[in-house]
């Protein structure tokens, strides 16, 4: 496998641990800093919301820089933010440091994906994108369970030191191996947001908001959702995270191959349906350990296939404008994660853990309804939508 792609994936691996491990650290953070479980869960919301808001702003500020320099700045900020988190003595400072880490992550992930696509022939772009996204899925398979175990057995701060160290290693790797890549990008924020005026792009990004919102309504509070199945055991919960993470890797890898073979448009509706069904079964699955394991297998596949298909679709619409569109897509995903963390926290306090799956499924059903409306509109008289997107995105870039 291409060493440059692996190096880029190492950065997304570190970011993936940082973004997703909070689900396994909610309890130790809550106990150490003297805050409620739902409050500790808002660390996910703050990180995700900061990522979503800062991504287009920082992309505008760094538009004239080479993508390699942007990647180096991004990993430096990310590593610094995690060091501050590990040292923080108050919940307020922890929240503030999450903003710093999110700023770095928001700059890194879309640019790493765009660089991977730029360095790869068109016929292999789906697999190249899946390798970079694979850093996130491997993080869920290896990093998140290990980080959660470290947080429970030793300290949640030790987990953040691990993330900071991985960020530093990724920084060194990018500096040594990744070449300087220049891709056109708009210099003004208004131009950067221009693709949102295209209905095809705006609808696709709203799908990302709703799908990730649904998934992270459950994932952020997975320990609470599966408490009956695990009996509160850290070891059993870590095992569930292992199963979810391993199947997420399968989903991401399978997604790259399916996209190259079948195309993204055929795959995306099916994965939305699958994600909605899985989320609706959360409460039933959480009653026993065996069903919880089976549920985690199913939970790890459709969303990650969809993520690969979505990014491939955006690169397909505008290869030269891919950093712009992938940045907007990342913002949409993290808006969804923020919504999921907030909605899950409210549901947990108001109706208990049994409500999480239903709230998540409702958000995915909304995404399906939006998809049905957009497909009906495309059939009834807007056949030129896709070419217009390509032109608009290219003009914006």
């Amino acid at each position: 496998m291409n060493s440059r792609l692996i190096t880029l994936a190492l950065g997304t691996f570190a970011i993936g641990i940082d973004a997703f491990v909070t689900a396994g650290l909610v309890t130790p953070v809550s106990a150490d800093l003297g805050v409620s479980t739902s409050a500790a869960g808002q660390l996910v919301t703050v990180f995700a919301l900061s990522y979503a808001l800062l991504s287009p702003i920082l992309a505008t500020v760094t538009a004239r820089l080479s993508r390699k320099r942007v990647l180096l700045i991004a990993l430096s900020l990310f590593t610094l933010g995690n060091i501050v988190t590990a040292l923080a003595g108050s919940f307020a400072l922890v929240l503030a440091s999450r903003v710093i880490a999110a700023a770095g992550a928001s700059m890194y992930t879309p640019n790493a994906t765009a660089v991977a696509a730029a360095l790869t022939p068109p016929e292999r772009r789906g697999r190249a994108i899946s390798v970079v996204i694979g850093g996130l899925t491997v993080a869920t398979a290896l990093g998140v369970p290990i980080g959660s175990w470290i947080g429970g057995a030793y300290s949640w701060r030790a987990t953040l030191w691990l993330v900071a160290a991985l960020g530093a290693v990724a920084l060194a790797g990018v500096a040594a191996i990744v070449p300087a890549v220049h891709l056109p990008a708009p210099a003004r924020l208004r131009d950067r947001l221009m693709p949102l005026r295209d209905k095809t792009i705006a609808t696709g990004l709203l799908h990302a908001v709703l799908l990730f919102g649904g998934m992270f309504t459950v994932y952020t509070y997975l320990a609470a959702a599966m408490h009956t199945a695990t009996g509160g055991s850290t070891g059993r919960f870590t095992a569930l995270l292992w199963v979810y993470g391993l199947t997420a890797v399968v989903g991401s890898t399978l997604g790259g191959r399916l996209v190259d073979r079948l195309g993204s448009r055929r795959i995306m509706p099916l994965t939305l349906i699958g994600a909605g069904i899985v989320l609706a079964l959360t409460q039933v699955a959480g009653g026993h350990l065996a069903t919880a394991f089976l549920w985690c297998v199913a939970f790890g596949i459709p969303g990650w296939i969809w993520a690969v298909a979505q990014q491939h679709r955006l690169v397909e619409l505008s290869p030269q404008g891919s950093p712009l569109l992938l940045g907007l897509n990342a913002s949409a995903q993290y808006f969804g994660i923020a919504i999921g963390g907030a909605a899950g926290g409210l549901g947990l306090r108001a109706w208990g853990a049994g409500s999480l799956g239903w709230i998540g499924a409702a958000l995915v059903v909304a995404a399906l309804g939006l998809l049905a409306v957009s497909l009906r509109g495309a059939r009834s008289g807007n056949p030129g939508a896709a070419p217009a997107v390509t032109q608009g995105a290219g003009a914006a870039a």
Side-chain angles (χ1 to χ4, degrees):
M1 189 179 294
N2 192 311
S3 60
R4 294 170 178 173
L5 295 180
I6 295 175
T7 300
L8 293 170
L10 178 60
T12 56
F13 175 70
I15 289 170
I17 296 176
D18 198 34
F20 304 144
V21 78
T22 308
L25 298 180
V26 167
T27 299
V29 168
S30 171
D32 184 30
L33 299 178
V35 297
S36 67
T37 299
S38 59
Q42 298 316 301
L43 290 175
V44 174
T45 302
V46 169
F47 183 95
L49 189 59
S50 298
Y51 186 118
L53 293 174
L54 291 173
S55 182
I57 297 172
L58 293 175
T60 301
V61 171
T62 61
R64 300 188 186 279
L65 301 178
S66 75
R67 296 305 92 190
K68 177 173 182 175
R69 181 170 295 184
V70 174
L71 293 175
L72 294 175
I73 294 171
L75 288 172
S76 298
L77 281 174
F78 173 77
T79 302
L80 174 63
N82 279 283
I83 291 173
V84 175
T85 303
L87 295 172
S90 67
F91 188 61
L93 184 55
V94 168
L95 289 175
S97 67
R98 293 292 77 207
V99 176
I100 299 173
S106 72
M107 295 168 65
Y108 183 84
T109 305
N111 281 290
T113 307
V115 168
L119 296 175
T120 308
E123 68 274 10
R124 297 185 62 86
R125 278 181 184 154
R127 272 167 276 194
I129 292 171
S130 72
V131 170
V132 177
I133 297 177
L136 299 176
T137 56
V138 172
T140 64
L142 299 176
V144 171
I146 292 173
S148 299
W149 178 80
I150 291 173
Y154 298 97
S155 167
W156 64 271
R157 299 178 189 275
T159 302
L160 273 298
W161 281 115
L162 172 64
V163 174
L166 289 171
V169 172
L171 175 63
V174 169
I177 296 178
V178 177
V181 175
H182 292 270
L183 294 172
R188 296 184 300 174
L189 182 59
R190 183 178 64 182
D191 295 334
R192 185 167 289 278
L193 298 178
M194 189 179 296
L196 295 178
R197 298 169 64 180
D198 186 284
K199 291 183 179 180
T200 301
I201 291 176
T203 301
L205 296 179
L206 187 53
H207 287 155
V209 172
L210 293 171
L211 174 61
F212 276 74
M215 291 179 64
F216 276 80
T217 295
V218 174
Y219 186 80
T220 304
Y221 303 97
L222 190 60
M226 297 294 152
H227 185 269
T228 299
T230 63
S233 166
T234 300
R236 290 179 180 177
F237 180 62
T238 300
L240 290 179
L241 290 176
W242 275 103
V243 170
Y244 165 76
L246 290 171
T247 53
V249 172
V250 173
S252 179
T253 304
L254 181 62
R257 295 183 180 277
L258 288 175
V259 165
D260 283 339
R261 180 174 298 179
L262 302 176
S264 56
R265 291 186 183 182
R266 295 182 181 180
I267 294 170
M268 296 173 76
L270 296 176
T271 54
L272 284 175
I273 293 171
I277 293 173
V278 172
L279 287 168
L281 294 173
T282 302
Q283 185 176 8
V284 174
H288 303 279
L289 187 60
T291 53
F293 275 116
L294 292 175
W295 180 89
C296 283
V297 170
F299 188 47
I301 294 178
W304 288 103
I305 294 178
W306 185 93
V308 174
Q310 168 84 335
Q311 297 198 48
H312 183 274
R313 173 64 175 154
L314 294 174
V315 172
E316 188 178 53
L317 288 173
S318 178
Q320 289 299 312
S322 59
L324 170 61
L325 296 183
L326 292 173
L328 290 173
N329 183 63
S331 288
Q333 290 176 353
Y334 277 87
F335 266 124
I337 292 172
I339 290 171
L346 292 173
L348 192 62
R349 279 187 289 180
W351 304 295
S355 69
L356 296 174
W358 294 111
I359 296 171
L363 290 170
V364 176
V365 168
L368 276 168
L370 181 64
L371 178 63
V373 170
S374 63
L375 290 176
R376 188 180 301 117
R379 286 195 298 266
S380 63
N382 191 20
V389 172
T390 304
Q391 294 167 5

